[in-house]
Amino acid sequence: MDLASRYKGVVGLVFGDNPSSNEDSYIQRLLDRISNGTLPDDRRNAIVELQSVVAESNAAQLAFGASGFPVIVGILKDQRDDVEMVRGALETLLGALTPIDHARAQKTEAHAALMNSDLLSREAENITLLLSLLEEEDFYVRYYTLQILTALLMNSQNRLQEAILSTPRGITRLMDMLMDREVIRNEALLLLTHLTREAEEIQKIVVFEGAFEKIFSIIKEEGGSDGDVVVQDCLELLNNLLRSSSSNQILLRETMGFEPIISVLKLRGITYKFTQQKTVNLLSALETINMLIMGGADTDPGKDSNKLANRTVLVQKKLLDYLLMLGVESQWAPVAVRCMTFKCIGDLVDGHPKNRDILASKVLGEDRQVEPALNSILRIILQTSSIQEFVAADYVFKTFCEKNREGQTMLTSTLIPQPHPTTRDPLEDDVNISFGSMLLRGICSGETDGDLETCCRAASILSHVLKDNIQCKEKALKIVLESHVPSMGTPETLFQRIVRYLAVASSMKSKDKSSTLGKSYIQQIILKLLVTWTVDCPAAVQCFLDSRHHLTYLLELVANPAATVCTRGLASILLGECVIYNKSNENGKDAFSVVDAVSQKMGLTTYFSKFEEMQSSFLFSSSEAPREGHKPLTRTATPSEAEIEDADAAKAMDKGNEDHPMLISLFDPSFTGLVKSLEGKIRERIVDVYSRPKSEVAVVPADLEQRSGENEKAYINRLKAFIEKQCSEIQNLLARNAALAEDLASSGRNEESQGSVQRSSTVMEKVQMESIRRELQEASQRLETVKAEKAKLESEASDYKNMAAKLESDLKGLSDAYNSLEQANYHLEKEVKSLKGGEDPMEFPDIEAIKEEVRKEAQKESEDELNDLLVCLGQEESKVEKLTAKLEELGVDVDKLLEDIGDESEAQGESDEDDDDH
């Protein structure tokens, strides 16, 4: 079935068997004149009329698609010499593939442009034919061909990508168009931009064809960031090539380097003139920089090493200077540009110690008006009117302080309170003020104007400075702040001042109910600071509990139904930290007192329910889910500056979030993970506190030892009695704390089931049995230890008894042998005496003397023989050493030779033994 017959079937399905006769017949007459006409001018006029009709009518597009493609394709194949006909054919094709304005088209009409694109792109030969037209000399032929390919790509992207890949030199021809005249170059650039989206194979070929050099050449020619939309197209094409490819990033780094893209960020001319197009160009360039900083796709195995190399090279090429100029020193830069700049700075120093040190050493300003870059960024955080800019700049300090103990210590060392300023603005541009003094002044600024906005921003920065650094936390606890009016207040510590501001924020919120969100994030940010500060810091817990009012207020905040879910949850976490990090034994300030206060105020079930509510809230659930990256900037989807700034807020509002959307960025996965881990520790610690209350019976170690004179049976019976006594005491404790244990065990379950008497009884019995089982197990373990020691002693005693019996038997045998020898000696002596008594003593020589003389002579002879043997042996060894040295000089392996001689000796020995046997 040919192309025309297939298309007729589609038209028939849409319009029935008899489509609009006017358009159909008119289009058919024009096609007949084009294909069968004899006069060239008539054929050219017909194709001009056909082009006009197709461009204006959706029905004409459908009618043309039914039978017009073979005619037009035939012209492109066979009539290349007639340039006007080829132009007309291409313009007609372009009109057939371009959608009609939907405001004029009827809603019931089929989308003819999509259908025409689908049919034309089904035949790969058509795409090959169009690509071959790019080599024609006529300007309009090349121009219309690029527009047709772009229209096909918009409607049938995958099919066109496959067709271009299968065409020899297809990508090469498109890349050649980048060096053509400006209009054609721009069309080719737009086509390549669409073509390289999510097409890895095409991306590789485009890079191989020298895309980087051509892109940066066009950007430079167009004027960098001050250029028009062509610069945006170039940067979009560049981003397509770098977004998910570490190899392309490495190629760019090792060939052209990063200087061309960094130079796009350089501000030229009047720095305060930022048009909409310049803003978009800068955002696109910053997006490219951010891609290089991130190192490629998450699934790329070489991402980490490439990321480290990219960050190092970017800083070496002075990227930080350009970013600080654009984000900090350019006061007229749009907020969206400054926010993206701060994100790049934060990512640049994240996990890179050397880049952190470089950022800490940067100073901004001129002449005497210079200050550290970190001070300038902090000043922006405290003074900006844009929440988005505050969040972006806060990210810089988050990444700078993350696992950077030296940097945290350096910033903490500047926390020195300064006298209250006399000017109206406590944060005026005093470049001589230190980082810490500016931060403390920002925290205390709420005392003067009653607005805690600046205070909460400073609290967010302080939470980064103190995070996971116990030395910095303890140093900050020693900071004492004077009252704004010394005669009306006493000095208080920084920690106590922040707790007081938390209460002030609650009262301000209750008074101002005009707005839905307002500044509801102030309490959450202050609570985040207190939670971070208190982690692993018993001194902070002690400072918090030094004032009874602090605990009372915190209990009220947890139970306050008007507070947001996040506020109640964080307050519950802070209460729990007062339990798990509490080292005090003072009555009223110890862990048991805190838990008891929570139980009396709201009950443990209600208290633990705050955790579940917070974990299911939008803030915490969204932080656990993977963050969606911002949508790439394109020519077809370029948002306005206001839309860029309000995108995140609108997204959060659509999901019905009762907390401020700004908190989504501040409550990052590391903080929500910390809160989740603290929740588990709090539950375990409260269980431990109630299982070991103050009145528990102390076990005296001496009671577990066996008394002198006590036999084993009596000892075991006494241990059993001791265990029974403990079980009885446990029963009494469980009876007294039954309600508390029931609350604890039922935490995390639905509150509706709390009224069930049967379930409550079952839960209480289960808790009692579990507690008794645990205590019995501990006592049993102690009893088993005693039994093991007893068995060990019995085993040792048995070993000693066996040893004593063996020694006794050996001693008896030795005694019998000695007695036998004594008797034999006695008989011999008796015989000798009798012999001596019967004969002349001179006839019997002294036998003992003779034996001694013989023994000495034998010993002397043995020594002489031994000396002779040693002398011979020494001589032989000397000969062997000389022979060995000689053989080694001749290159003979002496060890191998000795092994062979040994083997022959053993074989000869075995042969001799066989002969002897025979």
Side-chain angles (χ1 to χ4, degrees):
M1 182 181 294
D2 61 1
L3 181 65
S5 59
R6 284 202 302 266
Y7 197 85
K8 287 180 179 179
V10 175
V11 175
L13 289 174
V14 176
F15 291 97
D17 294 333
N18 296 314
S20 176
S21 58
N22 292 331
E23 283 82 359
D24 185 53
S25 59
Y26 184 49
I27 295 295
Q28 192 61 47
R29 287 197 303 271
L30 291 176
L31 290 174
D32 288 340
R33 288 171 58 189
I34 294 171
S35 58
N36 300 322
T38 56
L39 298 176
D41 290 339
D42 183 59
R43 294 175 62 246
R44 293 189 186 104
N45 292 334
I47 203 168
V48 170
E49 294 181 26
L50 178 63
Q51 172 208 339
S52 176
V53 173
V54 169
E56 293 293 330
S57 171
N58 190 69
Q61 288 182 346
L62 287 171
F64 169 80
S67 57
F69 281 117
V71 176
I72 299 300
V73 170
I75 294 174
L76 300 178
K77 285 182 179 180
D78 304 328
Q79 302 181 33
R80 291 284 187 96
D81 296 336
D82 193 339
V83 177
E84 292 188 16
M85 286 296 293
V86 172
R87 285 184 188 177
L90 290 174
E91 286 189 82
T92 304
L93 275 182
L94 183 60
L97 302 178
T98 303
I100 302 297
D101 186 3
H102 293 287
R104 292 183 296 165
Q106 298 181 9
K107 295 182 179 180
T108 57
E109 292 183 349
H111 203 317
L114 287 177
M115 298 169 64
N116 290 340
S117 300
D118 179 71
L119 287 175
L120 183 61
S121 60
R122 283 185 182 181
E123 302 293 339
E125 294 81 2
N126 296 336
I127 308 301
T128 303
L129 175 64
L130 290 172
L131 290 173
S132 67
L133 292 173
L134 295 176
E135 298 179 349
E136 294 293 322
E137 295 182 358
D138 186 75
F139 167 80
Y140 289 102
V141 169
R142 299 197 304 276
Y143 179 65
Y144 292 142
T145 300
L146 287 173
Q147 288 187 316
I148 291 171
L149 290 173
T150 303
L152 288 173
L153 186 63
M154 299 296 292
N155 297 329
S156 304
Q157 179 175 343
N158 294 335
R159 190 176 295 166
L160 187 67
Q161 288 175 345
E162 294 174 0
I164 292 177
L165 279 174
S166 62
T167 301
R169 298 189 70 252
I171 301 295
T172 304
R173 292 171 184 168
L174 294 177
M175 292 298 297
D176 291 340
M177 295 297 101
L178 292 179
M179 309 308 295
D180 208 318
R181 294 167 61 177
E182 183 177 346
V183 177
I184 293 181
R185 180 202 68 186
N186 295 346
E187 285 296 327
L189 185 62
L190 188 60
L191 173 61
L192 287 169
T193 300
H194 291 292
L195 196 62
T196 53
R197 289 177 186 170
E198 302 178 0
E200 185 176 353
E201 292 298 325
I202 296 180
Q203 292 173 5
K204 292 179 180 178
I205 300 174
V206 169
V207 171
F208 181 76
E209 293 290 339
F212 293 143
E213 293 82 355
K214 295 174 182 177
I215 287 173
F216 288 120
S217 175
I218 297 172
I219 291 176
K220 183 178 181 180
E221 182 182 341
E222 292 293 324
S225 62
D226 293 313
D228 56 12
V229 72
V230 176
V231 175
Q232 180 184 350
D233 292 337
C234 287
L235 292 171
E236 184 181 349
L237 175 58
L238 180 63
N239 292 342
N240 291 343
L241 301 178
L242 299 177
R243 182 171 289 109
S244 302
S245 177
S246 296
S247 60
N248 288 348
Q249 293 184 10
I250 294 172
L251 182 63
L252 174 62
R253 184 178 70 233
E254 296 180 352
T255 54
M256 297 193 65
F258 294 154
E259 293 91 340
I261 184 61
I262 295 176
S263 65
V264 179
L265 301 178
K266 185 177 181 180
L267 299 178
R268 301 173 178 83
I270 303 176
T271 57
Y272 57 82
K273 184 177 181 181
F274 286 87
T275 62
Q276 173 71 14
Q277 187 59 56
K278 182 174 182 178
T279 300
V280 174
N281 291 344
L282 287 172
L283 288 174
S284 299
L286 289 170
E287 183 181 358
T288 306
I289 295 292
N290 191 64
M291 289 177 190
L292 296 173
I293 292 174
M294 301 314 294
D298 294 335
T299 56
D300 196 326
K303 175 184 177 181
D304 293 336
S305 60
N306 183 50
K307 176 170 62 176
L308 182 63
N310 285 354
R311 295 181 181 186
T312 302
V313 173
L314 285 169
V315 173
Q316 290 174 353
K317 301 302 180 183
K318 309 299 182 184
L319 174 63
L320 263 179
D321 295 336
Y322 288 100
L323 293 177
L324 290 172
M325 171 63 73
L326 188 60
V328 180
E329 296 187 278
S330 298
Q331 301 178 3
W332 297 278
V335 173
V337 173
R338 297 203 300 269
C339 290
M340 190 65 181
T341 302
F342 285 130
K343 184 181 186 307
C344 289
I345 295 175
D347 289 334
L348 201 60
V349 302
D350 186 18
H352 200 296
K354 187 175 181 180
N355 288 357
R356 288 170 177 166
D357 295 340
I358 294 175
L359 175 61
S361 64
K362 290 292 183 182
V363 292
L364 304 178
E366 297 178 355
D367 300 330
R368 296 182 180 180
Q369 298 294 318
V370 296
E371 67 175 350
L374 292 177
N375 291 27
S376 299
I377 297 174
L378 176 62
R379 193 184 304 278
I380 290 175
I381 290 175
L382 300 179
Q383 294 181 339
T384 182
S385 59
S386 169
I387 293 179
Q388 286 77 18
E389 188 174 13
F390 154 56
V391 173
D394 179 88
Y395 179 69
V396 174
F397 284 100
K398 175 187 178 300
T399 56
F400 177 81
C401 295
E402 189 74 27
K403 298 180 181 179
N404 182 15
R405 302 183 68 84
E406 292 78 10
Q408 290 174 308
T409 304
M410 180 268 293
L411 296 178
T412 306
S413 65
T414 63
L415 289 173
I416 302 174
Q418 298 289 330
H420 289 280
T422 56
T423 58
R424 293 185 60 186
D425 185 4
L427 297 172
E428 63 177 352
D429 294 341
D430 182 6
V431 296
N432 297 320
I433 191 172
S434 67
F435 175 89
S437 298
M438 188 191 307
L439 188 64
L440 292 176
R441 188 172 291 182
I443 290 176
C444 301
S445 62
E447 292 282 344
T448 58
D449 54 13
D451 186 4
L452 295 179
E453 170 74 22
T454 305
C455 171
C456 92
R457 294 183 181 184
S460 180
I461 302 303
L462 184 59
S463 67
H464 301 317
V465 175
L466 302 181
K467 181 182 178 183
D468 298 331
N469 194 320
I470 187 64
Q471 289 79 16
C472 293
K473 293 178 181 180
E474 292 177 349
K475 180 177 177 61
L477 284 173
K478 299 177 183 178
I479 297 175
V480 178
L481 301 176
E482 296 290 339
S483 175
H484 183 62
V485 183
S487 60
M488 300 181 62
T490 58
E492 59 185 344
T493 64
L494 173 63
F495 188 92
Q496 292 172 338
R497 176 72 62 88
I498 291 174
V499 176
R500 180 160 64 86
Y501 285 160
L502 178 63
V504 172
S506 178
S507 62
M508 292 172 59
K509 182 181 177 182
S510 62
K511 292 179 181 179
D512 183 14
K513 299 182 180 179
S514 57
S515 62
T516 305
L517 290 176
K519 296 182 179 179
S520 61
Y521 54 84
I522 293 178
Q523 280 184 299
Q524 289 92 322
I525 294 179
I526 295 178
L527 282 170
K528 178 187 175 184
L529 168 60
L530 295 175
V531 168
T532 304
W533 198 339
T534 313
V535 172
D536 292 321
C537 188
V541 173
Q542 184 64 37
C543 183
F544 181 84
L545 295 177
D546 281 343
S547 174
R548 182 68 183 176
H549 301 293
H550 292 169
L551 182 60
T552 302
Y553 165 70
L554 201 57
L555 290 169
E556 294 290 342
L557 185 59
V558 174
N560 184 9
T564 65
V565 170
C566 182
T567 301
R568 295 194 300 267
L570 291 177
S572 301
I573 293 294
L574 184 57
L575 268 178
E577 288 181 299
C578 292
V579 177
I580 59 179
Y581 300 118
N582 194 321
K583 305 299 181 183
S584 174
N585 294 322
E586 185 178 351
N587 188 25
K589 297 182 180 179
D590 59 352
F592 186 87
S593 300
V594 176
V595 177
D596 191 52
V598 173
S599 177
Q600 292 181 7
K601 177 67 178 178
M602 67 194 75
L604 294 180
T605 299
T606 303
Y607 171 70
F608 285 128
S609 68
K610 309 302 179 185
F611 295 159
E612 281 78 22
E613 293 174 1
M614 179 176 61
Q615 292 296 341
S616 60
S617 66
F618 174 76
L619 287 180
F620 279 76
S621 59
S622 61
S623 67
E624 294 177 359
R627 298 290 177 92
E628 296 180 1
H630 66 279
K631 189 175 180 181
L633 295 174
T634 63
R635 180 194 287 198
T636 56
T638 301
S640 65
E641 182 176 339
E643 290 172 341
I644 295 173
E645 294 180 21
D646 298 336
D648 292 337
K651 179 180 177 182
M653 291 296 293
D654 290 342
K655 296 188 177 182
N657 177 31
E658 67 170 341
D659 292 298
H660 200 282
M662 178 261 291
L663 295 174
I664 299 174
S665 301
L666 295 184
F667 282 34
D668 57 341
S670 63
F671 178 71
T672 55
L674 170 66
V675 170
K676 191 171 184 179
S677 65
L678 286 173
E679 177 186 342
K681 293 178 181 179
I682 292 169
R683 293 179 185 271
E684 293 176 2
R685 178 57 180 156
I686 290 180
V687 170
D688 185 65
V689 167
Y690 270 124
S691 63
R692 291 177 176 80
K694 292 182 179 180
S695 58
E696 64 179 343
V697 179
V699 178
V700 182
D703 290 349
L704 297 178
E705 297 179 358
Q706 188 173 8
R707 299 170 182 172
S708 59
E710 186 179 27
N711 58 32
E712 300 296 335
K713 184 176 181 181
Y715 179 44
I716 293 174
N717 290 335
R718 184 166 60 82
L719 287 179
K720 290 182 178 179
F722 179 80
I723 293 173
E724 291 176 356
K725 181 180 178 182
Q726 275 197 329
C727 291
S728 176
E729 292 172 349
I730 291 170
Q731 290 283 0
N732 294 333
L733 291 173
L734 288 171
R736 188 180 63 184
N737 295 332
L740 299 176
E742 179 185 354
D743 282 343
L744 181 61
S746 59
S747 65
R749 301 190 178 106
N750 294 329
E751 295 184 0
E752 298 177 359
S753 63
Q754 295 177 5
S756 175
V757 177
Q758 181 178 1
R759 182 174 181 183
S760 299
S761 175
T762 304
V763 169
M764 186 174 66
E765 291 174 0
K766 183 177 179 181
V767 172
Q768 291 175 349
M769 291 176 63
E770 181 65 23
S771 300
I772 294 172
R773 185 192 64 77
R774 186 173 60 253
E775 294 295 336
L776 286 175
Q777 185 176 6
E778 293 176 357
S780 299
Q781 289 176 353
R782 293 194 293 268
L783 182 59
E784 290 297 330
T785 303
V786 173
K787 287 182 178 180
E789 293 179 354
K790 175 189 173 186
K792 182 179 179 181
L793 292 174
E794 290 178 350
S795 177
E796 292 178 354
S798 178
D799 292 341
Y800 288 139
K801 287 179 181 180
N802 294 334
M803 188 181 299
K806 182 180 180 182
L807 292 174
E808 185 178 355
S809 176
D810 294 343
L811 182 60
K812 185 178 180 181
L814 290 173
S815 178
D816 292 342
Y818 179 75
N819 290 335
S820 300
L821 291 174
E822 286 288 339
Q823 291 177 4
N825 187 44
Y826 174 73
H827 291 303
L828 290 173
E829 288 179 354
K830 188 176 180 182
E831 290 177 1
V832 170
K833 287 180 181 180
S834 64
L835 291 173
K836 287 182 179 181
E839 301 291 341
D840 186 358
M842 295 302 295
E843 296 178 0
F844 299 95
D846 189 352
I847 297 174
E848 295 296 333
I850 295 171
K851 288 181 179 180
E852 182 64 24
E853 184 178 354
V854 171
R855 186 184 64 77
K856 290 182 178 179
E857 292 179 357
Q859 183 176 0
K860 184 177 181 181
E861 292 177 359
S862 299
E863 291 178 352
D864 293 339
E865 292 177 359
L866 180 60
N867 291 332
D868 294 339
L869 288 173
L870 289 173
V871 171
C872 294
L873 182 60
Q875 295 174 350
E876 293 298 325
E877 287 181 351
S878 177
K879 292 178 181 180
V880 170
E881 290 177 356
K882 293 179 180 179
L883 182 58
T884 301
K886 189 66 175 176
L887 289 173
E888 289 178 349
E889 290 178 0
L890 297 174
V892 179
D893 189 346
V894 179
D895 295 333
K896 182 69 170 58
L897 182 61
L898 292 175
E899 289 178 2
D900 295 340
I901 293 173
D903 294 339
E904 292 177 359
S905 299
E906 291 178 1
Q908 183 64 33
E910 293 177 358
S911 175
D912 294 342
E913 289 178 2
D914 294 340
D915 294 340
D916 293 341
D917 293 341
H918 291 295

